[in-house]
Amino acid sequence: MLTLYDYLPSQNAWKVRLLLNHLDRPYRTEIVRIFEGEGQRPDFLAVSPTGAVPALRLADGRTLAESNAILTYLAHGTPYSPADPFGQAKVQQWLSFEQDHVASIATLRHWTLTGKLARRAPALVERLRRVAHKALAILERELAGRPFIAGDTYTIADMALFAYVHRADEAALALADHPHVVRWIARVRAQPGFLGTVYPYSIDPFSGGELP
């Protein structure tokens, strides 16, 4: 059976839970208390070199880290990954966009919800806000012309982007200013097997601290 190394408030880990739910694939969970330093244990670093969650252990013992790499592996041969090389490349294009641009939303959200925003340099916060606003504007433009980000069908690219984009209001980024994004969010939520559970940082009393 698959083992998912998880931290429940992480939307990066939620991406993987979402796909596993879509696939109705069983797995076991091992919680990693990242703010208590468990991500830096040597045994976990052997699984995830950066000490970040999520990570995945296969039934045969092989391991895989980084949420989008895990999505790519799990989606292979399923309806959530295109069969043709160009379609696969388009999905990878948007997975890269998620890591390069939407990560700014994730960071701002985390800092806001855990009380860290005031401890960050104003110039850094402003730079991340510019990147986040640009990311939402790009998605608004792209989603004006098609139902899902990589084409006509729902893929892991949508799952990856949705994880933090649909929580952008929690980073003080107004989703209402992006109506095509809002309609796309509704389409993702309507997919069979959608996983609506989101865990707040407040379940972890250590989340207000800095990562080791």
Side-chain angles (χ1 to χ4, degrees):
M1 182 177 289
L2 296 172
T3 298
L4 176 63
Y5 295 90
D6 202 345
Y7 172 73
L8 293 177
S10 168
Q11 288 299 105
N12 280 324
W14 176 88
K15 300 174 193 176
V16 179
R17 279 181 249 135
L18 173 64
L19 178 56
L20 289 166
N21 206 58
H22 281 314
L23 297 173
D24 196 24
R25 189 161 178 181
Y27 64 98
R28 62 180 294 272
T29 297
E30 184 168 324
I31 297 297
V32 181
R33 296 173 178 82
I34 54 175
F35 287 99
E36 296 174 63
E38 290 186 356
Q40 299 305 309
R41 295 189 324 236
D43 61 325
F44 186 66
L45 290 173
V47 174
S48 175
T50 64
V53 292
L56 192 70
R57 184 181 297 277
L58 309 186
D60 63 9
R62 290 179 296 168
T63 58
L64 189 61
E66 303 298 333
S67 60
N68 289 347
I70 295 169
L71 291 181
T72 299
Y73 170 76
L74 291 173
H76 180 72
T78 78
Y80 304 110
S81 179
D84 65 290
F86 182 78
Q88 292 172 6
K90 289 300 288 186
V91 165
Q92 291 301 315
Q93 171 189 320
W94 288 105
L95 292 178
S96 296
F97 173 84
E98 191 266 344
Q99 289 293 294
D100 291 340
H101 299 279
V102 175
S104 60
I105 299 175
T107 299
L108 288 169
R109 174 181 179 265
H110 171 68
W111 289 350
T112 300
L113 296 180
T114 58
K116 297 172 188 170
L117 195 67
R119 307 203 302 256
R120 301 301 188 246
L124 173 59
V125 172
E126 181 56 32
R127 181 178 66 80
L128 288 179
R129 289 201 189 283
R130 288 197 300 270
V131 174
H133 281 298
K134 182 177 180 180
L136 290 172
I138 290 169
L139 290 174
E140 177 69 10
R141 184 183 69 228
E142 294 292 321
L143 289 165
R146 55 186 181 275
F148 297 105
I149 196 59
D152 292 331
T153 59
Y154 173 64
T155 69
I156 55 172
D158 297 287
M159 300 179 205
L161 290 166
F162 181 92
Y164 285 105
V165 168
H166 88 290
R167 314 302 296 186
D169 285 335
E170 295 175 332
L173 302 163
L175 279 172
D177 294 340
H178 306 281
H180 293 293
V181 172
V182 171
R183 286 192 281 273
W184 165 78
I185 288 171
R187 285 191 290 274
V188 172
R189 288 188 183 278
Q191 297 302 305
F194 177 78
L195 185 66
T197 304
V198 173
Y199 294 92
Y201 282 105
S202 60
I203 69 171
D204 178 7
F206 296 92
S207 64
E210 303 295 342
L211 283 170

